Amino acid sequence: MNNQAYFKDKVVIVTGASSGIGLAAARAFGAAGAKVVMAARSLEKMQELSASVAPEDKVLCVKCDVSVEEDCKTLVERAVERFGRIDILVNNAGLSMRAMFKDLDLKVIERLMDVNFYGTVYCTKYALPYLLEAKGQVVGVISIAGYSALPARCAYSSSKYAIRGFLDTLRIEHLKDGLGVLVFAPGYTESNVRNAALVADGSAQGKTPLEEGKLMSAERCAEYLLKALRRRRSQRILTPLGKATVFMHRLFPRMTDRMTYKFIAKEADSPFK
């Protein structure tokens, strides 16, 4: 079954849809004939981009800060009011950080948990009755850091581990209900997430330590996401490095710790230096 056959007229909510993987996914769903609900804090930006996602009658833009429970509730209500159902929820909105824990203002951890973890919890909670009715699917876009921790990203890794635990639990609870639950873990992907990442005092990093052009494109990542949903996968880990890291962490955790340390120490302006 191809994307057009599977996703045509399905109602899909994508959070963090104004850039990066979220925007690429919204466009991919739209190209496959889905009705797309774009959610992000930047309403004007989404409205400018919406024409590239789907025809006007098949796209809805909703201003939503996923760290605010009421915003998530309103998002779901607006989606159902406009399209009558929800088939897929893609919890993609996220925030990163880069600093050693010893230097970190605790408000950074709180902020990342609010956006990454509670954003996923809030949206899933309010969408769940409609997803169960449709025997639909819920996705959590996590990271390899949700399987094998990244130093200088303690809040980020913690939030991604938490999302994985939450979704794995949800999958078991609804094993007999026809609900699909996908934990989707990209590796390093070209995006704005590292520019927006918070540093020790809670301000934005404003730059990336990686060569973004050499990373997997957001569009390629979105292709993998749609394929995993179409096959109703429960887990998808991307990139050879990501797969190797998860495998090594499971079998050789201490060796993986040392290799990860060396890898992060080579970053530009590494916090280790």
Side-chain angles (χ1 to χ4, degrees):
M1 182 182 293
N2 61 28
N3 284 347
Q4 192 74 25
Y6 187 80
F7 294 106
K8 184 174 172 57
D9 291 328
K10 280 185 165 60
V11 178
V12 184
I13 296 177
V14 182
T15 66
S18 62
S19 65
I21 295 172
L23 177 58
R27 286 172 170 160
F29 285 121
K35 298 173 181 177
V36 183
V37 181
M38 300 174 67
R41 292 180 298 169
S42 308
L43 181 59
E44 289 185 5
K45 185 176 180 182
M46 285 191 295
Q47 290 172 333
E48 291 173 1
L49 294 165
S50 64
S52 70
V53 171
E56 188 176 352
D57 63 332
K58 283 196 168 187
V59 64
L60 171 66
C61 299
V62 181
K63 181 178 175 63
C64 178
D65 180 342
V66 296
S67 69
V68 179
E69 182 179 352
E70 192 63 31
D71 277 16
C72 299
K73 181 181 179 183
T74 298
L75 167 63
V76 170
E77 290 172 346
R78 290 280 307 281
V80 174
E81 179 183 304
R82 174 71 179 273
F83 296 121
R85 58 185 289 143
I86 301 172
D87 296 284
I88 298 171
L89 168 64
V90 180
N91 290 294
N92 167 74
L95 185 62
S96 189
M97 52 77 63
R98 187 170 182 246
M100 301 289 280
F101 177 70
K102 66 183 178 63
D103 303 320
L104 194 63
D105 189 314
L106 291 178
K107 69 183 180 184
V108 174
I109 296 181
E110 293 170 1
R111 179 61 181 157
L112 263 76
M113 291 302 292
D114 283 345
V115 174
N116 298 354
F117 177 66
Y118 280 107
T120 298
V121 170
Y122 294 152
C123 289
T124 303
K125 177 65 174 179
Y126 290 107
L128 189 57
Y130 303 101
L131 294 171
L132 289 172
E133 183 179 350
K135 296 188 183 302
Q137 294 165 278
V138 57
V139 183
V141 178
I142 62 162
S143 164
I144 302 306
Y147 286 91
S148 183
L150 277 181
R153 272 82 166 180
C154 63
Y156 182 72
S157 287
S158 297
S159 67
K160 297 301 185 178
Y161 267 87
I163 293 168
R164 181 161 65 93
F166 166 65
L167 291 177
D168 284 350
T169 303
L170 190 70
R171 183 187 305 109
I172 298 169
E173 289 181 353
H174 294 283
L175 203 61
K176 304 295 184 179
D177 296 338
L179 179 71
V181 180
L182 170 62
V183 174
F184 185 73
Y188 285 115
T189 304
E190 184 180 7
S191 75
N192 188 52
V193 68
R194 281 163 291 279
N195 293 305
L198 306 184
V199 293
D201 65 358
S203 61
Q205 180 170 244
K207 61 182 179 179
T208 174
L210 304 180
E211 295 183 56
E212 298 288 331
K214 294 184 178 181
L215 307 181
M216 178 183 287
S217 70
E219 289 72 24
R220 184 64 174 154
C221 185
E223 290 176 15
Y224 283 117
L225 172 61
L226 267 67
K227 186 176 181 179
L229 283 166
R230 199 177 68 230
R231 295 183 174 183
R232 294 188 75 91
R233 296 278 297 271
S234 60
Q235 175 180 276
R236 187 68 168 93
I237 298 168
L238 301 187
T239 77
L241 177 60
K243 292 175 182 178
T245 300
V246 174
F247 177 79
M248 290 289 291
H249 177 74
R250 185 180 300 124
L251 296 183
F252 309 105
R254 294 184 67 184
M255 181 188 298
T256 306
D257 286 350
R258 291 192 292 271
M259 292 172 65
T260 302
Y261 183 97
K262 290 179 181 178
F263 182 83
I264 297 300
K266 292 177 182 178
E267 288 183 340
D269 300 321
S270 172
F272 293 162
K273 296 176 181 177

